[in-house]
Amino acid sequence: MNIVKLDAINSTNQFLKELVKSNDVDNWTVVTTEYQISGRGQMQTKWISEKNKNLLFSVLIRFNELNANHQFYMNCAISLGIYKTLTKHKIEGLTIKWPNDILAGNKKIAGILIENALVKDSIKHTVVGIGLNVNQIEFPVLLPNATSMKLLLNKDFNRDLLLKEIVDNLKYYINFIEKKEFIFLKEQYEKVLYKIGVVHSFESNKEQVFTGKITGINQQGKLLVEQENKVIKEYNYKEIKFM
Amino acid sequence: MELKEIQNLIKFVAKSGANEVKLEMKDFKITIKTGAGGKVTSIVQQVPAATVQVVPQTEIQAIPATEQKTESVNKKTDEANSYIEIKSPIIGTFYRKPSPDKPPFIKVGDDVEVGDTVCIIEAMKLFNEVESEISGKIVKILVDDSSPVEFDQPLYLVDPS
């Protein structure tokens, strides 16, 4: 495994993206850091992590051919890779919250940031940023919904071994994308989807609160929610919030 | 007129500070315009219609002599036609900046090279950095920041000359 270890960096995704531009970087190159100065979750949210406690890394994945239409399967493959690793370590109550958060119970244990490089409608390569809470046991008051492997299992984990396990599991699931076995990924993903088949409250982007039941995802990765009148509606990310 | 001569002429006009120079000779007509950015565009009309080699940093179009009467109209359409659109490869949300606190990837008047990132299209929490397949100058940005875009929707107008 090609691995670049950094003590502190703005963002491992940013570092890896720039590395790819200026050098011939091997597929599955990993960049890790102990501390991210401006690590980000989504466009606005920051990823807060204590030094030397967690896994913060980015992986480069190159594709021979992946159409942008199939990009949601990246969310499936990456989430499933982390899910599988954590399951092996006997963490209970694991689910994938659509589209790509990893939860243990109702708390977030890992976050993913996927950045694709697109030429026309095909994905040349992807930089996947992963933050996994490993040995951190104290979280800011601002993050009441965060948890870690140590908080849940009361023991320390070897982060180097964990990293290798995750990368191996990512390779396992990415291989299904290479083989275009998308249905398998979709089925595996839906099996462990947070709140699937359960009546739950949501808020739509029109600020309407409603109850419904997640039935799965469609081929574009939109969330399918059965309404009270039994009609199934599709939701884009940002069109629906979990209450 | 040799290609070399045309190149020299363009250089001369650019240095002279003139905005526009029209030159008519027996078998062709050439218009050289200098843009605001100091760059030079030229339009060559040749009789009979023939392929003219592209001179670096210039825009040369062969137009049959019979159309010379409607020259001004033609020029407009030709300019519009010579622009290339960068289109959205997917449905999603268009972002001009890498993150909210950063400057935009590209502005009107900027030069864009093949492989440059021109925007992010976010779809289902996947961030797609769209790389340009063409090089040229950004003439117009067709979509507002943070607004939804459809597949194949034009995002930027690029002058490839």
Side-chain angles (χ1 to χ4, degrees), chain A residues 28-86:
Chain A
W28 294 102
T29 293
V30 173
V31 175
T32 69
T33 187
E34 290 303 337
Y35 182 67
Q36 276 201 114
I37 298 148
S38 58
R40 64 194 167 98
Q42 299 156 45
M43 293 294 279
Q44 319 84 356
T45 53
K46 279 201 168 176
W47 186 263
I48 300 159
S49 177
E50 208 178 306
K51 247 185 173 175
N52 307 319
K53 298 277 186 181
N54 300 318
L55 269 181
L56 304 171
F57 65 101
S58 297
V59 196
L60 174 72
I61 305 171
R62 294 186 186 277
F63 293 99
N64 288 325
E65 194 213 332
L66 176 60
N67 191 286
N69 289 332
H70 294 132
Q71 62 171 293
F72 192 81
Y73 298 107
M74 283 296 300
N75 272 339
C76 299
I78 304 299
S79 309
L80 286 166
I82 299 168
Y83 179 92
K84 191 181 179 190
T85 312
L86 295 179

Side-chain angles (χ1 to χ4, degrees), chain B residues 92-105:
Chain B
T93 308
F94 170 83
Y95 292 107
R96 284 184 60 201
K97 305 171 197 170
S99 61
D101 54 336
K102 298 261 168 68
F105 289 109

Side-chain angles (χ1 to χ4, degrees), chain A:
Chain A
M1 187 159 84
N2 274 335
I3 180 160
V4 181
K5 288 193 175 188
L6 306 166
D7 187 41
I9 186 74
N10 285 341
S11 138
T12 50
N13 264 33
Q14 196 58 36
F15 180 89
L16 191 49
K17 281 193 290 178
E18 274 159 28
L19 199 66
V20 172
K21 272 185 191 162
S22 55
N23 290 280
D24 199 9
V25 183
D26 285 348
N27 196 7
W28 294 102
T29 293
V30 173
V31 175
T32 69
T33 187
E34 290 303 337
Y35 182 67
Q36 276 201 114
I37 298 148
S38 58
R40 64 194 167 98
Q42 299 156 45
M43 293 294 279
Q44 319 84 356
T45 53
K46 279 201 168 176
W47 186 263
I48 300 159
S49 177
E50 208 178 306
K51 247 185 173 175
N52 307 319
K53 298 277 186 181
N54 300 318
L55 269 181
L56 304 171
F57 65 101
S58 297
V59 196
L60 174 72
I61 305 171
R62 294 186 186 277
F63 293 99
N64 288 325
E65 194 213 332
L66 176 60
N67 191 286
N69 289 332
H70 294 132
Q71 62 171 293
F72 192 81
Y73 298 107
M74 283 296 300
N75 272 339
C76 299
I78 304 299
S79 309
L80 286 166
I82 299 168
Y83 179 92
K84 191 181 179 190
T85 312
L86 295 179
T87 306
K88 196 210 126 193
H89 286 281
K90 307 219 165 25
I91 290 187
E92 288 178 5
L94 282 171
T95 51
I96 299 171
K97 187 178 171 190
W98 179 83
N100 64 12
D101 283 333
I102 313 296
L103 304 188
N106 284 316
K107 295 189 170 184
K108 186 164 164 175
I109 190 164
I112 300 167
L113 175 65
I114 300 175
E115 297 186 90
N116 299 321
L118 239 65
V119 176
K120 266 190 180 170
D121 57 354
S122 91
I123 298 172
K124 271 199 326 190
H125 64 255
T126 296
V127 170
V128 177
I130 294 171
L132 170 66
N133 295 332
V134 184
N135 297 325
Q136 180 169 345
I137 49 169
E138 283 172 2
F139 290 92
V141 191
L142 284 169
L143 293 174
N145 289 321
T147 190
S148 70
M149 295 176 75
K150 187 175 180 181
L151 264 182
L152 294 166
L153 297 174
N154 209 19
K155 61 173 182 181
D156 278 297
F157 290 86
N158 179 321
R159 292 178 300 144
D160 288 335
L161 287 180
L162 211 49
L163 174 64
K164 199 191 167 297
E165 286 169 13
I166 293 174
V167 173
D168 286 344
N169 286 329
L170 296 182
K171 284 180 182 172
Y172 171 80
Y173 285 107
I174 288 292
N175 193 33
F176 289 98
I177 292 184
E178 296 281 9
K179 291 189 290 185
K180 297 199 169 39
E181 291 183 23
F182 301 127
I183 293 166
F184 171 81
L185 288 173
K186 183 175 175 287
E187 284 171 356
Q188 296 296 307
Y189 178 88
E190 285 175 335
K191 257 188 208 170
V192 298
L193 197 57
Y194 176 70
K195 296 290 179 197
I196 192 160
V198 190
V199 176
H200 193 74
S201 293
F202 299 93
E203 188 184 329
S204 75
N205 58 338
K206 293 168 191 95
E207 291 183 358
Q208 281 172 327
V209 177
F210 66 97
T211 54
K213 199 165 71 179
I214 296 174
T215 59
I217 54 165
N218 73 4
Q219 285 182 346
Q220 290 87 48
K222 286 187 183 175
L223 192 68
L224 304 175
V225 183
E226 188 186 291
Q227 318 284 305
E228 278 176 356
N229 60 8
K230 302 286 169 203
V231 175
I232 295 175
K233 280 196 187 170
E234 301 174 354
Y235 293 91
N236 229 315
Y237 186 61
K238 284 177 186 163
E239 285 177 350
I240 187 167
K241 261 194 245 167
F242 289 79
M243 295 293 286

Side-chain angles (χ1 to χ4, degrees), chain B:
Chain B
M1 202 171 186
E2 294 291 314
L3 195 62
K4 192 89 201 275
E5 289 178 283
I6 298 175
Q7 279 176 319
N8 286 337
L9 187 65
I10 290 166
K11 274 183 205 157
F12 172 76
V13 173
K15 275 186 200 158
S16 75
N19 289 328
E20 189 171 347
V21 173
K22 284 185 183 175
L23 184 68
E24 275 189 67
M25 292 176 81
K26 68 175 194 305
D27 58 349
F28 75 95
K29 186 174 165 181
I30 182 166
T31 308
I32 300 170
K33 281 185 184 177
T34 57
K39 282 222 170 152
V40 178
T41 58
S42 72
I43 295 151
V44 173
Q45 298 178 321
Q46 196 165 6
V47 187
T51 321
V52 180
Q53 279 200 322
V54 177
V55 182
Q57 292 208 342
T58 63
E59 175 189 296
I60 295 179
Q61 290 156 336
I63 297 162
T66 47
E67 283 177 27
Q68 273 187 18
K69 274 178 197 165
T70 54
E71 187 203 352
S72 62
V73 180
N74 271 339
K75 219 190 287 171
K76 256 191 190 164
T77 1
D78 286 337
E79 273 172 16
N81 285 345
S82 69
Y83 293 155
I84 301 174
E85 287 168 342
I86 299 179
K87 293 176 178 177
S88 179
I90 48 164
I91 299 175
T93 308
F94 170 83
Y95 292 107
R96 284 184 60 201
K97 305 171 197 170
S99 61
D101 54 336
K102 298 261 168 68
F105 289 109
I106 206 122
K107 305 183 296 295
V108 169
D110 284 356
D111 287 315
V112 62
E113 299 285 334
V114 173
D116 282 357
T117 302
V118 291
C119 65
I120 288 174
I121 310 280
E122 189 255 75
M124 230 69 84
K125 232 180 134 185
L126 295 147
F127 295 88
N128 295 282
E129 297 195 339
V130 179
E131 291 185 11
S132 179
E133 297 166 80
I134 48 171
S135 43
K137 192 188 274 292
I138 300 288
V139 176
K140 202 172 178 189
I141 298 163
L142 305 164
V143 180
D144 289 337
D145 192 29
S146 308
S147 55
V149 288
E150 295 296 322
F151 168 74
D152 232 19
Q153 183 175 339
L155 306 172
Y156 296 95
L157 213 52
V158 178
D159 183 352
S161 57

